Amino acid sequence: MLRPLLLLLLAFALSSCILLVEEDEPRRPVQPVQPVTPVTPVQPSIVTPGPGTFTYRCSGGTLVVNYLDSNNLRLFYDGAFQNLSLVRRSPTLLFSGGAGGAYTWEWTGSRGTLTVRGQVVLSNCAL
Amino acid sequence: MRKTPWLLLLLPLVLSSCIVVVDLPVSNFRFDSNWQRTTDGAYVFCTNQDSYIRYSFSGPSPDRIRTITEIYRGEISGRELPVLRPKSDLNYSGGRYTFVGKLTFGDTGIPQSLQPFSIVVVPTLPPPVTTNPPRAAINGATEVTVEVVNTAGITYRGTYTYITYANCP
Protein backbone atom coordinates (compact mmCIF):
# COMPACT_ATOMS: atom_id res chain seq x y z
CA MET A 1 0.00 0.00 0.00
CA LEU A 2 2.80 2.37 0.93
CA ARG A 3 5.20 1.28 -1.80
CA PRO A 4 3.19 2.44 -4.79
CA LEU A 5 2.67 5.76 -3.07
CA LEU A 6 6.45 6.21 -2.55
CA LEU A 7 7.12 5.34 -6.15
CA LEU A 8 4.59 7.89 -7.24
CA LEU A 9 6.18 10.57 -5.07
CA LEU A 10 9.66 9.71 -6.35
CA ALA A 11 8.55 10.03 -9.94
CA PHE A 12 6.96 13.40 -9.18
CA ALA A 13 10.06 14.70 -7.34
CA LEU A 14 12.44 13.65 -10.11
CA SER A 15 10.36 15.34 -12.81
CA SER A 16 10.85 18.80 -11.14
CA CYS A 17 14.57 18.34 -10.58
CA ILE A 18 17.06 20.04 -12.90
CA LEU A 19 20.55 18.81 -12.67
CA LEU A 20 23.22 21.42 -13.38
CA VAL A 21 26.72 20.25 -14.03
CA GLU A 22 29.44 22.90 -14.35
CA GLU A 23 32.57 22.22 -16.25
CA ASP A 24 35.85 23.76 -15.15
CA GLU A 25 37.16 26.39 -17.66
CA PRO A 26 40.71 25.84 -18.82
CA ARG A 27 43.00 28.18 -16.87
CA ARG A 28 44.95 30.75 -18.94
CA PRO A 29 48.57 31.38 -18.11
CA VAL A 30 49.01 34.65 -16.19
CA GLN A 31 51.05 37.28 -18.01
CA PRO A 32 53.85 38.92 -16.02
CA VAL A 33 52.89 42.54 -15.16
CA GLN A 34 55.32 45.36 -15.94
CA PRO A 35 55.44 48.29 -13.54
CA VAL A 36 53.78 51.37 -15.21
CA THR A 37 55.03 54.90 -14.76
CA PRO A 38 52.13 57.23 -13.97
CA VAL A 39 51.39 59.59 -16.88
CA THR A 40 51.39 63.32 -16.16
CA PRO A 41 48.61 65.10 -18.06
CA VAL A 42 50.14 67.34 -20.77
CA GLN A 43 48.61 70.76 -21.48
CA PRO A 44 48.04 71.34 -25.19
CA SER A 45 50.70 73.74 -26.46
CA ILE A 46 49.58 77.08 -27.89
CA VAL A 47 50.59 77.51 -31.47
CA THR A 48 51.59 80.89 -32.83
CA PRO A 49 50.11 81.68 -36.19
CA GLY A 50 53.16 82.03 -38.29
CA PRO A 51 55.76 82.71 -39.37
CA GLY A 52 54.27 85.46 -41.47
CA THR A 53 52.28 88.64 -41.24
CA PHE A 54 48.73 88.67 -39.92
CA THR A 55 46.19 91.40 -39.38
CA TYR A 56 44.11 90.99 -36.24
CA ARG A 57 40.75 92.63 -35.75
CA CYS A 58 40.39 93.80 -32.18
CA SER A 59 38.18 95.87 -29.96
CA GLY A 60 39.94 99.16 -30.55
CA GLY A 61 41.04 98.62 -34.14
CA THR A 62 43.33 96.45 -36.20
CA LEU A 63 46.82 95.21 -35.39
CA VAL A 64 49.44 93.93 -37.82
CA VAL A 65 51.73 91.32 -36.28
CA ASN A 66 54.67 89.82 -38.10
CA TYR A 67 55.81 86.53 -36.49
CA LEU A 68 59.50 86.30 -37.30
CA ASP A 69 59.99 82.88 -35.65
CA SER A 70 58.54 81.00 -32.68
CA ASN A 71 60.24 83.38 -30.21
CA ASN A 72 60.14 86.78 -31.87
CA LEU A 73 57.58 89.02 -33.47
CA ARG A 74 57.25 92.54 -34.76
CA LEU A 75 54.08 94.56 -34.50
CA PHE A 76 53.14 98.06 -35.59
CA TYR A 77 51.62 100.39 -33.04
CA ASP A 78 52.08 104.01 -31.99
CA GLY A 79 53.35 104.75 -35.47
CA ALA A 80 56.37 102.49 -35.23
CA PHE A 81 57.47 98.88 -35.39
CA GLN A 82 57.83 97.26 -31.98
CA ASN A 83 60.01 94.18 -31.57
CA LEU A 84 58.84 91.73 -28.91
CA SER A 85 60.31 88.46 -27.62
CA LEU A 86 58.65 85.44 -26.07
CA VAL A 87 58.85 85.46 -22.27
CA ARG A 88 56.30 82.77 -21.38
CA ARG A 89 54.72 79.77 -23.05
CA SER A 90 52.10 78.74 -20.52
CA PRO A 91 49.22 79.15 -19.82
CA THR A 92 49.25 81.71 -22.63
CA LEU A 93 51.95 82.91 -24.97
CA LEU A 94 53.34 86.18 -23.70
CA PHE A 95 55.63 88.41 -25.73
CA SER A 96 57.20 91.52 -24.30
CA GLY A 97 59.45 94.32 -25.51
CA GLY A 98 59.15 97.29 -27.85
CA ALA A 99 60.16 100.84 -27.08
CA GLY A 100 61.06 101.04 -23.41
CA GLY A 101 59.86 97.46 -22.92
CA ALA A 102 56.38 98.93 -22.65
CA TYR A 103 54.56 96.54 -24.98
CA THR A 104 53.16 93.07 -24.28
CA TRP A 105 51.24 90.82 -26.64
CA GLU A 106 49.37 87.93 -25.06
CA TRP A 107 47.96 85.16 -27.23
CA THR A 108 45.60 82.52 -25.84
CA GLY A 109 45.51 80.45 -28.99
CA SER A 110 42.40 82.14 -30.29
CA ARG A 111 42.39 85.67 -28.85
CA GLY A 112 45.03 88.30 -28.30
CA THR A 113 45.54 91.37 -26.16
CA LEU A 114 47.96 94.26 -26.65
CA THR A 115 49.02 96.14 -23.57
CA VAL A 116 51.05 99.34 -23.57
CA ARG A 117 52.56 100.58 -20.33
CA GLY A 118 50.16 98.38 -18.40
CA GLN A 119 47.05 99.62 -20.17
CA VAL A 120 45.08 97.34 -22.47
CA VAL A 121 44.86 99.21 -25.77
CA LEU A 122 43.62 96.40 -28.04
CA SER A 123 41.62 93.44 -26.79
CA ASN A 124 39.68 90.47 -28.10
CA CYS A 125 41.99 90.36 -31.13
CA ALA A 126 41.17 87.58 -33.58
CA LEU A 127 42.25 86.64 -37.06
CA MET B 1 52.99 125.06 -110.70
CA ARG B 2 50.53 122.68 -112.26
CA LYS B 3 50.54 120.34 -109.22
CA THR B 4 49.34 122.91 -106.70
CA PRO B 5 45.66 123.05 -107.78
CA TRP B 6 45.50 119.29 -107.72
CA LEU B 7 46.93 119.13 -104.22
CA LEU B 8 44.53 121.78 -102.99
CA LEU B 9 41.72 119.79 -104.47
CA LEU B 10 42.85 116.57 -102.84
CA LEU B 11 43.41 118.06 -99.40
CA PRO B 12 39.72 118.71 -98.57
CA LEU B 13 38.91 115.25 -99.85
CA VAL B 14 41.45 113.63 -97.51
CA LEU B 15 40.44 115.74 -94.54
CA SER B 16 36.78 115.01 -95.05
CA SER B 17 37.39 111.32 -94.42
CA CYS B 18 39.38 111.91 -91.30
CA ILE B 19 37.61 112.01 -87.94
CA VAL B 20 39.75 113.19 -85.07
CA VAL B 21 38.48 112.24 -81.61
CA VAL B 22 40.11 114.01 -78.73
CA ASP B 23 39.25 112.55 -75.34
CA LEU B 24 39.16 114.83 -72.38
CA PRO B 25 41.88 113.76 -70.02
CA VAL B 26 41.10 112.28 -66.62
CA SER B 27 42.50 114.71 -64.08
CA ASN B 28 42.23 116.44 -60.76
CA PHE B 29 41.99 113.40 -58.47
CA ARG B 30 40.87 114.23 -54.95
CA PHE B 31 40.71 111.94 -51.92
CA ASP B 32 39.22 112.38 -48.48
CA SER B 33 37.46 110.43 -45.75
CA ASN B 34 35.13 111.03 -42.84
CA TRP B 35 38.03 111.32 -40.37
CA GLN B 36 40.38 114.26 -40.33
CA ARG B 37 43.40 114.90 -38.18
CA THR B 38 43.14 118.26 -36.47
CA THR B 39 46.87 118.89 -36.30
CA ASP B 40 47.44 119.00 -40.06
CA GLY B 41 44.05 118.38 -41.67
CA ALA B 42 45.12 115.05 -43.16
CA TYR B 43 42.33 112.62 -43.97
CA VAL B 44 42.78 109.34 -42.13
CA PHE B 45 40.98 106.04 -41.55
CA CYS B 46 39.83 104.79 -38.14
CA THR B 47 39.98 101.01 -37.86
CA ASN B 48 37.67 100.90 -34.84
CA GLN B 49 34.96 103.15 -36.24
CA ASP B 50 32.97 103.43 -39.44
CA SER B 51 35.34 104.80 -42.04
CA TYR B 52 34.37 106.00 -45.48
CA ILE B 53 36.59 106.73 -48.43
CA ARG B 54 35.60 109.35 -50.96
CA TYR B 55 37.47 110.07 -54.16
CA SER B 56 36.60 112.10 -57.21
CA PHE B 57 38.14 113.04 -60.54
CA SER B 58 37.29 115.00 -63.65
CA GLY B 59 36.83 113.06 -66.84
CA PRO B 60 34.89 112.54 -70.05
CA SER B 61 31.43 111.02 -70.17
CA PRO B 62 31.04 107.42 -68.92
CA ASP B 63 30.92 106.04 -72.45
CA ARG B 64 34.54 107.24 -72.89
CA ILE B 65 35.70 105.42 -69.72
CA ARG B 66 36.66 101.77 -70.06
CA THR B 67 37.60 100.70 -66.52
CA ILE B 68 38.07 102.09 -63.03
CA THR B 69 40.26 100.11 -60.64
CA GLU B 70 41.02 100.84 -56.99
CA ILE B 71 44.20 99.39 -55.54
CA TYR B 72 44.46 99.25 -51.75
CA ARG B 73 47.93 98.57 -50.39
CA GLY B 74 48.57 98.05 -46.71
CA GLU B 75 51.94 99.64 -46.04
CA ILE B 76 52.60 97.54 -42.94
CA SER B 77 51.07 94.23 -43.93
CA GLY B 78 52.31 94.53 -47.51
CA ARG B 79 49.00 93.22 -48.78
CA GLU B 80 47.56 94.61 -51.98
CA LEU B 81 43.93 94.43 -52.97
CA PRO B 82 42.77 95.49 -56.44
CA VAL B 83 39.07 96.20 -56.77
CA LEU B 84 37.46 96.62 -60.18
CA ARG B 85 34.92 99.36 -59.62
CA PRO B 86 31.80 99.37 -61.81
CA LYS B 87 31.19 102.75 -63.37
CA SER B 88 27.65 102.58 -62.08
CA ASP B 89 29.01 102.84 -58.51
CA LEU B 90 30.25 106.36 -59.23
CA ASN B 91 28.15 109.44 -59.45
CA TYR B 92 28.86 111.52 -62.59
CA SER B 93 27.85 115.14 -62.42
CA GLY B 94 29.20 118.27 -64.05
CA GLY B 95 32.08 116.41 -65.65
CA ARG B 96 33.18 114.98 -62.33
CA TYR B 97 33.03 111.42 -60.98
CA THR B 98 32.60 110.77 -57.25
CA PHE B 99 32.75 107.54 -55.32
CA VAL B 100 31.93 106.96 -51.65
CA GLY B 101 32.47 103.57 -50.02
CA LYS B 102 32.53 102.05 -46.58
CA LEU B 103 35.72 100.31 -45.56
CA THR B 104 36.32 97.08 -43.68
CA PHE B 105 39.77 96.27 -42.37
CA GLY B 106 41.61 93.03 -41.75
CA ASP B 107 42.95 90.00 -43.56
CA THR B 108 39.66 89.47 -45.32
CA GLY B 109 40.42 92.53 -47.40
CA ILE B 110 39.06 96.00 -47.77
CA PRO B 111 35.96 95.47 -49.83
CA GLN B 112 33.85 98.51 -50.35
CA SER B 113 30.16 98.57 -50.02
CA LEU B 114 28.65 101.51 -51.74
CA GLN B 115 27.14 104.11 -49.49
CA PRO B 116 25.85 106.74 -51.88
CA PHE B 117 25.48 109.51 -49.40
CA SER B 118 27.77 112.37 -48.59
CA ILE B 119 30.12 111.72 -45.73
CA VAL B 120 30.46 113.93 -42.72
CA VAL B 121 34.04 114.68 -41.88
CA VAL B 122 34.83 114.33 -38.19
CA PRO B 123 37.80 116.54 -37.37
CA THR B 124 38.54 115.08 -33.96
CA LEU B 125 41.93 113.47 -34.31
CA PRO B 126 43.89 113.38 -32.14
CA PRO B 127 41.25 113.40 -29.41
CA PRO B 128 41.49 115.44 -26.24
CA VAL B 129 43.88 113.87 -23.77
CA THR B 130 41.98 111.74 -21.31
CA THR B 131 43.23 109.27 -18.78
CA ASN B 132 40.78 106.40 -19.05
CA PRO B 133 40.29 105.29 -22.64
CA PRO B 134 43.36 104.40 -24.67
CA ARG B 135 44.48 107.30 -26.80
CA ALA B 136 44.24 107.10 -30.58
CA ALA B 137 47.38 105.54 -32.02
CA ILE B 138 48.72 105.06 -35.52
CA ASN B 139 48.49 101.38 -36.44
CA GLY B 140 49.30 101.50 -40.15
CA ALA B 141 48.73 103.20 -43.46
CA THR B 142 46.70 102.37 -46.56
CA GLU B 143 47.80 103.65 -49.93
CA VAL B 144 44.87 103.99 -52.31
CA THR B 145 45.47 104.26 -56.04
CA VAL B 146 42.67 104.86 -58.51
CA GLU B 147 43.41 103.83 -62.08
CA VAL B 148 41.13 105.05 -64.85
CA VAL B 149 41.51 103.70 -68.37
CA ASN B 150 39.68 105.51 -71.15
CA THR B 151 38.40 103.95 -74.35
CA ALA B 152 41.58 105.01 -76.14
CA GLY B 153 43.55 102.81 -73.73
CA ILE B 154 45.23 105.65 -71.87
CA THR B 155 45.66 105.06 -68.11
CA TYR B 156 45.35 107.86 -65.57
CA ARG B 157 46.23 107.45 -61.90
CA GLY B 158 45.62 109.24 -58.65
CA THR B 159 47.10 108.16 -55.30
CA TYR B 160 46.62 109.07 -51.66
CA THR B 161 48.02 107.49 -48.51
CA TYR B 162 45.67 107.33 -45.56
CA ILE B 163 47.26 106.96 -42.14
CA THR B 164 45.18 104.47 -40.15
CA TYR B 165 44.37 104.77 -36.45
CA ALA B 166 43.28 102.51 -33.63
CA ASN B 167 41.17 103.68 -30.71
CA CYS B 168 39.57 106.65 -32.42
CA PRO B 169 37.13 108.29 -30.02
Side-chain angles (χ1 to χ4, degrees), chain B residues 18-39:
Chain B
C18 177
I19 300 167
V20 179
V21 177
V22 179
D23 272 330
L24 285 172
V26 174
S27 62
N28 201 13
F29 285 89
R30 285 182 192 165
F31 294 83
D32 63 5
S33 73
N34 60 324
W35 290 94
Q36 193 175 19
R37 202 160 52 189
T38 47
T39 50

Side-chain angles (χ1 to χ4, degrees), chain B residues 77-89:
Chain B
S77 66
R79 284 194 325 110
E80 195 171 281
L81 177 73
V83 176
L84 193 62
R85 176 64 55 199
K87 282 186 280 185
S88 56
D89 282 2

Side-chain angles (χ1 to χ4, degrees), chain A residues 47-126:
Chain A
V47 180
T48 51
T53 302
F54 299 87
T55 303
Y56 292 91
R57 281 196 246 190
C58 319
S59 302
T62 55
L63 178 68
V64 177
V65 179
N66 180 15
Y67 292 93
L68 304 170
D69 53 48
S70 58
N71 293 316
N72 296 285
L73 62 80
R74 197 171 72 145
L75 56 83
F76 192 86
Y77 200 77
D78 282 333
F81 285 104
Q82 314 291 344
N83 291 295
L84 279 67
S85 299
L86 183 71
V87 293
R88 192 183 73 196
R89 281 193 185 279
S90 181
T92 57
L93 291 181
L94 188 70
F95 295 82
S96 182
Y103 295 78
T104 59
W105 169 244
E106 187 175 16
W107 179 244
T108 66
S110 60
R111 299 281 162 178
T113 304
L114 180 68
T115 306
V116 181
R117 285 174 283 277
Q119 183 185 26
V120 173
V121 292
L122 295 173
S123 60
N124 207 25
C125 300

Side-chain angles (χ1 to χ4, degrees), chain B residues 10 23 33 44 47 51-52 70 76 79 94 121 128-129 132 161:
Chain B
L10 274 171
D23 272 330
S33 73
V44 300
T47 60
S51 286
Y52 297 91
E70 299 156 5
I76 306 304
R79 284 194 325 110
V121 176
V129 177
N132 261 345
T161 301

Side-chain angles (χ1 to χ4, degrees), chain B residues 9 16 30 32 54 78 85 105 120 124 154:
Chain B
L9 203 68
S16 67
R30 285 182 192 165
D32 63 5
R54 179 169 60 188
R85 176 64 55 199
F105 299 94
V120 179
T124 57
I154 301 169

